[in-house]
Amino acid sequence: MKYNHRQIEPKWQKIWEEKGCFHAEDNSDKEKFYALIEFPYPSGQGLHVGHPRPYTALDTVSRKRRLQGYNVLYPIGWDAFGLPTENYAIKNHIHPEIVTKNNVERFKKQIRSLGISFDWSREINTTDPDYYKWTQWIFLQLFQHGLAYKKEMAVNWCTSCKCVLANEEVVNGVCERCGSEVVHKTKSQWMLKITAYADRLIDDLDLVDYPERVKLQQKNWIGRSYGAEVEFDTTAGDKLKIYTTRADTLFGATYMVMSPEHPFIEKWADKLSNLDEVRAYQAESAKKSDFERTEMNKDKTGVKLEGVSAINPVNDTEIPIFISDYVLISYGTGAIMAVPGHDTRDWEFAKKFDLPIIEVVKGGDVEKEAFTDCATGIMVNSGFLDGLSVEDAKEKIIAFLTEKGIGEKKTNFKLRDWVFSRQRYWGEPIPIVHCDCCGYVPVPEEELPLRLPMVESYEPTDTGESPLANMTKWVETTCPKCGKKAYRETDTMPQWAGSSWYYLRYMDPHNDKAIASDEAFKYWESVDWYNGGMEHTTLHLLYSRFWHKFLYDIGVVPTKEPYKKRTSHGMILGENGEKMSKSRGNVVNPDDIVNEYGADTLRLYEMFIGDFEKAAPWSPSSIRGCRKFIERFYNMQEMLCDGDFIRKEVEKDFHKTIKKVGFDIENIKFNTAIAAMMALINVIYSTGKVTKKELSIFAILLNPFAPHVTEEVWEACALGDGILAEAKWPEYDEAKCVDDTIEIVAQINGRIKAKLVISKDASQDEVLSLAKSEQKVMEAIRGMNVIKEIYVKGKLVNIVVKP
RNA sequence: GCCGGUGUGGUGGAAUAGGCAGACACAAGGGACUUAAAAUCCCUCGGACUAAACAUCCGUACCGGUUCAAGUCCGGUCACCGGCACCA
């Protein structure tokens, strides 16, 4: 029989589907295992070969866990709200709901052809009202706990698309899609107070098993810094509050800088003799895009405030105040004390404006550059701080400022609150009513889901209003509180909303009373293993940790963290080593591979392609090697014979391979697990025969990677009722993983002179004397003094000699 | 600029915990089978020296160090990739 994947693969997929093989049980005595992949956005392009990489990886883990007796939950769904669908819908005059439905159909068919063991009975879709009912419910809880608020905000507005863009959609200051200018528009926006969780989002990373680089990226993004707030007296009478992490350098503060947006400028307007100049600078800064203000121009600019100055509280010196756009209104207090001797930016500014530079930490040359090293410096020119280390000086000065009532310890974060509104149609309606009397009133829970109305035109408007704003019938409503005429919120939620809690819904996807039942939460608890892309580290991964912690605080979920373990896959690149994209013309469609080589070959190749965590280029010729391996496995049917193991050495090879494959799967080293099986099949072929026992073990080991062909061979060779039905993941015997005789390398001065075959239990003396009996070793030692003899058990001997 | 990662044959990549560099594949070359091709099977496959083999030497981006022993550890340099980007 020739291997025919086109016949085998649909056959087994049908059997699995009919028997419901992958349905997770809700109440099982078995230990649970919850594996999760990032649910896909069903785009119009369909799947490309990058999608199956993470799916196959966790499918391999899930299938292995089932063979080990776990009750496995491995679900999938659709993250289907979002701009590409909406834009496609506008362009082609098809309602986004229809577009979504078609795209999901296509994705589903493609994914099913891969034989991934998803529990399709738990499929979810973020655009389903029964689903977004709970997205809205969570928003209302956030609102009621003061964590959702509305605020005037500058938004990105594309002048050509006439629509609002998310920050991610603005690339180098222009619209990602059309390349047109992006300007700022001020709009009232819904915000989520993620900053309230900043500390816990950092500290609780200690509770989870994430790759270090993920933890680090989140920590850097949240950007916690410990410092102090200090109040400076000014000649205007007001106290100017600044934030600093280097309170120790206070004696070196020779001027102050405020952000051009600082409210004191307005307050001091009548005291400023150069108000025109100040105003001109303010206007110039306001005109600059974010891009110009940060990336383009790091040359320091600024204007000195004539008429108001500040007093350095430690030496009563009067120092000038500047405004400059290198100080941001959004961080700290919007004002700083400038210490040019020990801060690079202040140093540049001081040089440009010819301001005095005082050295207060010894160790560098402050005339040449700012000395910023905190670890080695000693305080100088700093009165009562002189002679202290930077760390000690910080503590002493903060204690001093606290006692005088002009300063205190303060922690700051780079993390900003989450802009949560979008002026687009294809998203969850924000369930809030605006009432002139009562303000923002939540839609009553029993009215959820607040459905997205069917509109004729969902094109974005010129005014920056959501397309929903034109739906007067839907917008005009009555206030749930006072019953008077009121208006619905017309902004929708961002794409990140539905994905911030979807893993919870899989636990109990059809529940209409709650996100999931308490029993479901208790049993499934949290995700055991979550695999996803690095690009979501500071977006989805952070957002969902925030929502989860909130749900924990209000008693909905029982765990502090949503995901116990996180791994990350590398991208699959095009043949040319570039990122796969339609415009580069290097996209590979998995359908073609499944059709030509089969799903088992595709799966195996995607796992064999290289280090799972690193990017790897697609190679059409390498796929053939995987196909060949599968055919070699399939053809073992014809080598079948009775017995346990052909030879004792082969038995040992099996034990070693069982150990390696199991270990490698758990450590996401799929490529070497497959290499080990390839090596084992080479051994089997060299014997020319395979026993039933050998073949069945091989089939189970390979099953998580290539589930169809392994079941087929199992059935064809009458090995039993089926791998899924009855097989257990094989155990290995540690004793049988060790060879009786081993090869030991004999070195002289680190150079290999001989290879010794000797019993694994041989003593050092035995190995050494055997080594010394080797011709070449004898020659090398002759006439030399032996300085040292090193023996590494089971590996090598090294004899160090000198003339 | 700051933070993180990577650098190994013609290619993708292996190499617990400092202990035989190049597993497993791909590509290439040669051979067997075949009328022929495909498929399959077998052999060779980092470099220098060699007709070939043996032997020897060199070789994990570059320079230096620690060690009996370095792809692996330490210091420095370069290149590429990712994240952040005036966060005081």
Side-chain angles (χ1 to χ4, degrees), chain A residues 170-385:
Chain A
V170 183
V171 177
N172 293 344
V174 300
C175 173
E176 175 197 45
R177 266 174 301 149
C178 66
S180 308
E181 193 193 355
V182 174
V183 296
H184 283 168
K185 243 183 190 200
T186 299
K187 269 195 68 69
S188 188
Q189 301 283 293
W190 281 98
M191 307 283 288
L192 295 188
K193 215 172 193 166
I194 189 171
T195 51
Y197 284 78
D199 266 319
R200 284 162 67 191
L201 286 169
I202 289 181
D203 295 341
D204 287 357
L205 286 171
D206 291 341
L207 306 176
V208 293
D209 175 14
Y210 291 3
E212 229 17 76
R213 58 189 169 136
V214 171
K215 290 190 182 185
L216 205 68
Q217 217 170 294
Q218 289 207 343
K219 280 181 198 168
N220 290 343
W221 179 263
I222 296 166
R224 178 164 60 189
S225 68
Y226 297 109
E229 279 185 353
V230 185
E231 282 179 347
F232 282 61
D233 280 325
T234 64
T235 54
D238 299 296
K239 288 177 190 300
L240 180 57
K241 195 188 252 185
I242 60 101
Y243 173 72
T244 178
T245 56
R246 291 297 303 275
D248 55 298
T249 61
L250 189 51
F251 283 89
T254 52
Y255 63 102
M256 316 275 295
V257 187
M258 301 196 308
S259 157
E261 294 92 351
H262 201 286
F264 275 13
I265 295 165
E266 231 16 76
K267 211 171 166 189
W268 296 345
D270 54 352
K271 295 192 182 70
L272 298 175
S273 62
N274 62 338
L275 188 62
D276 289 349
E277 200 189 347
V278 169
R279 290 249 197 265
Y281 187 80
Q282 282 182 308
E284 205 183 309
S285 308
K287 218 171 62 193
K288 281 187 194 171
S289 67
D290 287 350
F291 181 63
E292 287 170 318
R293 197 159 158 175
T294 58
E295 269 180 270
M296 292 259 295
N297 187 5
K298 291 196 178 177
D299 273 356
K300 298 288 176 287
T301 58
V303 174
K304 186 180 173 188
L305 300 186
E306 303 288 356
V308 182
S309 50
I311 319 287
N312 187 329
V314 285
N315 53 20
D316 289 329
T317 314
E318 202 170 307
I319 55 177
I321 305 174
F322 287 76
I323 59 168
S324 171
D325 61 8
Y326 84 88
V327 172
L328 309 174
I329 190 66
S330 53
Y331 185 77
T333 62
I336 61 157
M337 67 174 195
V339 184
H342 306 284
D343 180 281
T344 315
R345 296 147 304 178
D346 297 345
W347 190 89
E348 284 168 14
F349 192 89
K351 278 285 167 190
K352 184 153 180 188
F353 288 84
D354 203 19
L355 293 155
I357 299 172
I358 301 175
E359 179 181 56
V360 291
V361 185
K362 216 169 149 182
D365 181 353
V366 296
E367 279 311 313
K368 288 215 178 82
E369 62 177 350
F371 178 67
T372 56
D373 184 1
C374 296
T376 61
I378 298 293
M379 305 306 299
V380 290
N381 300 325
S382 294
F384 62 93
L385 299 177

Side-chain angles (χ1 to χ4, degrees), chain A residues 59-70 654-666 670 673-674 677 696-706 710 714 722-732:
Chain A
D59 191 44
T60 301
V61 174
S62 294
R63 285 178 180 270
K64 172 172 175 269
R65 285 286 196 286
R66 286 193 195 93
L67 290 168
Q68 289 175 310
Y70 285 81
F654 264 90
H655 280 271
K656 285 188 224 167
T657 309
I658 292 167
K659 182 179 177 181
K660 175 142 185 76
V661 171
F663 180 85
D664 283 354
I665 289 176
E666 295 305 322
F670 306 107
I674 293 166
M677 288 187 282
S696 70
I697 294 175
F698 204 104
I700 298 169
L701 288 183
L702 183 57
N703 176 263
F705 296 91
T710 44
W714 189 278
I723 296 174
L724 262 178
E726 60 173 352
K728 294 267 168 296
W729 187 256
E731 304 273 340
Y732 64 88

Side-chain angles (χ1 to χ4, degrees), chain A residues 587-610:
Chain A
V587 177
V588 180
N589 184 337
D591 295 354
D592 299 335
I593 310 298
V594 169
N595 184 44
E596 190 176 350
Y597 297 102
D600 282 336
T601 298
L602 175 64
R603 294 169 56 113
L604 201 75
Y605 176 59
E606 296 229 355
M607 294 297 94
F608 187 61
I609 195 165

Side-chain angles (χ1 to χ4, degrees), chain A residues 645 650-660 680 697 731-738:
Chain A
F645 291 96
V650 176
E651 181 179 8
K652 281 186 180 295
D653 284 334
F654 264 90
H655 280 271
K656 285 188 224 167
T657 309
I658 292 167
K659 182 179 177 181
K660 175 142 185 76
L680 183 60
I697 294 175
E731 304 273 340
Y732 64 88
D733 181 348
E734 189 62 56
K736 287 182 177 164
C737 294
V738 187

